[in-house]
Amino acid sequence: KTFRPRKKFEPGTQRFELYKKAQASLKSGLDLKAVVQLPPGESINDWIAVHVVDFFNRINLIYGTMSEYCTEKSCPIMSGGLKYEYRWQDDSKYKKPTKLSAPQYMCMLMDWIEMLINNEDIFPTRIGVPFPRQFQQVCTKILTRLFRVFVHVYIHHFDSIINMGAEAHVNTCYKHFYYFIREFSLIDHRELEPL
């Protein structure tokens, strides 16, 4: 339920070309701080959209890989240690911040993000269709919530990540994510305190 098929970019589109640029840069061994910078002449909203979708895919895979260790019993509250608790709120079922178990929170989160990135009014894929005015605000909310997945995984399940031999992948993904959000000031600094 928490693992979803990867969202793909249509070949031949501008976003597909941006995605290929981003992937080529990551695989070339370049400095991740440099890799996240907006390529000259590219639209910032397209660059952010490509990265939000890519981070969703990667973080969903990370959580899906270790989700058997994150259960209602082991993680009855979505948290980042003893100091941070994350409550779920959306515009439909949970109108007030609601305490959920980590698996419930993750499921709600992945469903919510998937719904947003598949919504053509928010993440348009056709050439010439503009992004909505609130696009970067929506992306900030998505990225803030995805960051909470890193917090939970690092604080509560990193031993499982190590046992699977996946720590290098998770660490690289986190560094890429961190440099990207810092480059474009997409997450409030206070949200970053747990890590």
Side-chain angles (χ1 to χ4, degrees):
K1 178 83 175 145
T2 57
F3 182 75
R4 283 152 177 74
R6 292 172 60 98
K7 168 88 170 146
K8 295 188 176 160
F9 300 101
E10 291 298 318
T13 64
Q14 182 181 9
R15 292 233 187 92
F16 182 73
E17 295 307 313
L18 279 174
Y19 173 73
K20 285 193 328 190
K21 273 186 197 177
Q23 292 308 302
S25 296
L26 278 173
K27 291 176 183 165
S28 69
L30 291 176
D31 175 16
L32 287 173
K33 283 184 184 178
V35 166
V36 299
Q37 294 172 357
L38 181 65
E42 297 296 347
S43 154
I44 188 165
N45 283 340
D46 278 323
W47 190 240
I48 290 172
V50 164
H51 280 81
V52 166
V53 172
D54 190 43
F55 289 134
F56 167 71
N57 287 332
R58 290 171 188 263
I59 294 167
N60 186 38
L61 181 62
I62 288 168
Y63 184 73
T65 301
M66 49 74 47
S67 63
E68 68 184 274
Y69 306 104
C70 185
T71 65
E72 300 284 330
K73 189 173 181 178
S74 68
C75 302
I77 297 171
M78 175 56 181
S79 65
L82 299 174
K83 193 173 177 185
Y84 299 95
E85 179 182 308
Y86 301 118
R87 295 181 178 200
W88 184 256
Q89 183 176 4
D90 56 33
D91 294 330
S92 55
K93 186 176 177 184
Y94 298 94
K95 300 204 184 280
K96 292 182 181 177
T98 305
K99 192 182 285 195
L100 297 176
S101 69
Q104 288 174 304
Y105 186 99
M106 298 297 184
C107 186
M108 298 295 293
L109 175 62
M110 298 308 171
D111 285 347
W112 176 77
I113 294 173
E114 191 170 41
M115 181 260 314
L116 289 172
I117 63 178
N118 288 325
N119 183 337
E120 286 284 328
D121 293 332
I122 299 169
F123 280 77
T125 57
R126 293 183 308 279
I127 293 173
V129 176
F131 286 90
R133 212 171 351 112
Q134 77 280 12
F135 176 71
Q136 287 189 22
Q137 291 170 304
V138 170
C139 289
T140 290
K141 196 167 191 176
I142 290 170
L143 293 168
T144 298
R145 288 180 173 184
L146 282 173
F147 177 76
R148 294 171 180 179
V149 177
F150 279 119
V151 172
H152 186 76
V153 167
Y154 270 108
I155 293 175
H156 297 281
H157 302 292
F158 201 67
D159 55 339
S160 300
I161 296 294
I162 291 171
N163 290 338
M164 287 185 274
E167 69 270 22
H169 174 72
V170 174
N171 287 338
T172 301
C173 185
Y174 175 68
K175 275 200 259 184
H176 182 205
F177 181 91
Y178 180 80
Y179 289 139
F180 184 78
I181 62 170
R182 299 303 293 152
E183 175 73 16
F184 299 103
S185 302
L186 291 168
I187 295 183
D188 187 304
H189 189 70
R190 290 171 298 182
E191 280 283 341
L192 303 177
E193 288 176 10
L195 291 183

